[in-house]
Amino acid sequence: MRSLLFLLVLLEYSELSAQNLTGKCPNIKSGKVYVINQSNETIDSVRIVNECFVVTSKLREPSLFTLRSSAFDGEVYLVLEKNRPLSIEINPRGEVKYLINTLINVSFQKVHKDYINFQQQILKLSPSVDSLDNDSLMSLRSTAYTQFIQKITDFIVQKSANQVSALVLFEIVHLSNLLPVNELKKRFDMLSEAVKKSSYGQKISEYLIKEFTLREGNIAPEFELVDVENKVHKLSDYRGRYVLLHFWASWCGPCRGENKEWPMMMPVLSQLPVTIIHVSQDSEKKEWLKAIKADGLECFIHVLNTKGKKGDVVYDYQISGIPDNVLISPDGTIKQKKIRWTDLEKLVK
């Protein structure tokens, strides 16, 4: 069955107001579109009737929704704002044509397009490119990253008084782990006071407050998680050794791509005074175990991020996007966050 994932960012201001999205669906006679909130709860569903559907919602704060349907393919990002209806036409392949657009949606789509182009550039500059040496690859990747971050920064400066700037900073920059926390705060400080108080602004602010409590040199949060054989692993069990926590999931494309490099590095990693623990965010144990075997990672310690006695380790370590890594010193303090595991050798010597 084909499926469509619509990620809708619904923007509005403080008071209640109706939001309308009109969709025309040529050659689709019937079907159902589900409205999903950020907690993955279905809050509404609408039928496709006479090749059309209409979504009407009432919200107090800017909110992120997902529309899902079995009738279409593709993935589309949309921004709706208060009292400005948006109308789209979707064909069975999930291709979208805007019939009525808004300035905020146009702004967001431009940034999102730049982000997709940036991702494609990075993928093209993967280690599998045989014609370039590692230094050349790293230089080109660094240039692409710098150029994209500059575009984001320019956008935030230009739109500092518009809520779309906080939306972009949270949804694209923060959730994709594109900036270290200090650099994220610099961009957050560029926002107007009103935008900082918006829903997305508050989410960024809350993240920054929690993140600064997990500064390098502070005690790393304890955890108790079980591995593939149901053995319990606690951080305190490894006191006296470096510990690298690698956060990933079987459904994460970039994670699976990076997984292929781990076995090749095993001869080097095995000589280092560090224990590597792969922390999965999978909800399905079967898929987790299948990915471990498929990627040849059986030689590493693997645990599931279940909420055990010491809570949610992903929340405790403020992991906002994956893959991600945290290095913990032998004394139990945080050595470094958001590191590349390829830099591990120089960090533990």
Side-chain angles (χ1 to χ4, degrees):
M1 179 180 289
R2 297 178 299 173
S3 64
L4 168 69
L5 174 63
F6 276 119
L7 187 61
L8 294 177
V9 183
L10 304 179
L11 281 182
E12 64 166 40
Y13 302 94
S14 58
E15 69 272 20
L16 283 169
S17 62
Q19 302 294 307
N20 293 285
L21 169 65
T22 302
K24 293 186 177 181
C25 315
N27 302 317
I28 302 296
K29 302 299 181 183
S30 63
K32 214 169 191 180
V33 178
Y34 295 90
V35 183
I36 315 296
N37 66 14
Q38 288 177 287
S39 299
N40 203 33
E41 300 168 331
T42 301
I43 63 169
D44 197 6
S45 62
V46 294
R47 292 188 178 278
I48 298 173
V49 179
N50 296 325
E51 302 184 355
C52 295
F53 69 89
V54 177
V55 174
T56 302
S57 302
K58 289 187 176 182
L59 305 168
R60 291 185 180 276
E61 291 291 330
S63 301
L64 175 65
F65 290 88
T66 303
L67 295 188
R68 295 193 180 115
S69 173
S70 61
F72 307 92
D73 294 322
E75 184 174 285
V76 178
Y77 295 85
L78 301 173
V79 177
L80 303 184
E81 62 177 313
K82 177 185 176 183
N83 296 331
R84 294 183 183 275
L86 193 69
S87 181
I88 59 177
E89 181 178 286
I90 313 167
N91 66 24
R93 294 183 298 276
E95 298 168 338
V96 174
K97 176 182 178 181
Y98 292 98
L99 305 178
I100 300 177
N101 212 338
T102 66
L103 291 177
I104 282 184
N105 188 58
V106 170
S107 296
F108 181 81
Q109 295 297 337
K110 183 180 184 303
V111 176
H112 183 253
K113 182 178 180 180
D114 288 339
Y115 177 56
I116 296 300
N117 290 338
F118 165 68
Q119 287 183 311
Q120 292 173 345
Q121 279 184 284
I122 296 300
L123 286 175
K124 289 179 181 178
L125 297 172
S126 66
S128 62
V129 179
D130 298 328
S131 60
L132 296 172
D133 57 38
N134 286 337
D135 289 341
S136 297
L137 280 173
M138 292 303 295
S139 177
L140 291 172
R141 288 166 70 98
S142 177
T143 298
Y145 170 81
T146 300
Q147 291 174 344
F148 177 69
I149 292 301
Q150 187 58 54
K151 287 183 179 180
I152 289 289
T153 303
D154 292 343
F155 178 85
I156 291 171
V157 170
Q158 294 168 6
K159 304 289 184 180
S160 61
N162 192 311
Q163 290 193 41
V164 72
S165 58
L167 184 153
V168 166
L169 194 59
F170 182 82
E171 295 292 344
I172 293 182
V173 179
H174 168 53
L175 294 185
S176 299
N177 266 333
L178 291 178
L179 287 173
V181 64
N182 289 336
E183 293 299 318
L184 179 66
K185 186 178 185 303
K186 288 180 182 179
R187 274 70 177 182
F188 178 72
D189 289 341
M190 296 174 182
L191 304 178
S192 70
E193 291 303 314
V195 171
K196 288 179 181 178
K197 294 177 182 178
S198 69
S199 177
Y200 281 100
Q202 290 177 4
K203 290 176 183 178
I204 299 169
S205 179
E206 290 171 2
Y207 166 77
L208 290 173
I209 291 172
K210 292 174 182 176
E211 185 69 15
F212 278 108
T213 65
L214 289 172
R215 301 303 296 268
E216 294 168 5
N218 290 354
I219 295 295
E222 175 67 294
F223 59 79
E224 295 183 13
L225 300 172
V226 296
D227 64 15
V228 296
E229 297 178 347
N230 292 321
K231 177 183 176 182
V232 175
H233 292 261
K234 298 190 295 183
L235 177 61
S236 54
D237 292 339
Y238 300 97
R239 191 62 56 87
R241 286 179 59 84
Y242 283 98
V243 175
L244 180 73
L245 298 180
H246 173 65
F247 295 88
W248 73 294
S250 67
W251 42 259
C252 168
C255 300
R256 300 299 296 276
E258 188 176 276
N259 280 356
K260 298 175 182 178
E261 301 176 33
W262 283 95
M264 294 185 291
M265 289 294 294
M266 193 58 191
V268 174
L269 297 175
S270 62
Q271 301 300 313
L272 301 178
V274 59
T275 298
I276 301 172
I277 302 177
H278 291 242
V279 183
S280 173
Q281 295 190 43
D282 280 284
S283 57
E284 297 293 334
K285 186 174 181 179
K286 181 179 179 180
E287 294 301 317
W288 172 50
L289 297 176
K290 182 180 177 181
I292 292 172
K293 184 176 181 180
D295 295 345
L297 303 178
E298 295 97 329
C299 55
F300 295 97
I301 297 173
H302 292 272
V303 295
L304 270 178
N305 179 43
T306 52
K307 294 184 179 180
K309 295 179 180 179
K310 294 297 180 180
D312 184 344
V313 68
V314 170
Y315 176 82
D316 290 342
Y317 282 84
Q318 288 299 297
I319 304 302
S320 57
I322 53 176
D324 200 0
N325 301 292
V326 177
L327 181 62
I328 300 168
S329 295
D331 62 0
T333 59
I334 296 173
K335 172 73 173 179
Q336 191 167 328
K337 298 181 294 181
K338 300 187 184 302
I339 69 168
R340 284 285 298 167
W341 61 269
T342 49
D343 296 330
L344 192 57
E345 186 174 6
K346 65 183 180 182
L347 290 171
V348 301
K349 286 188 174 181

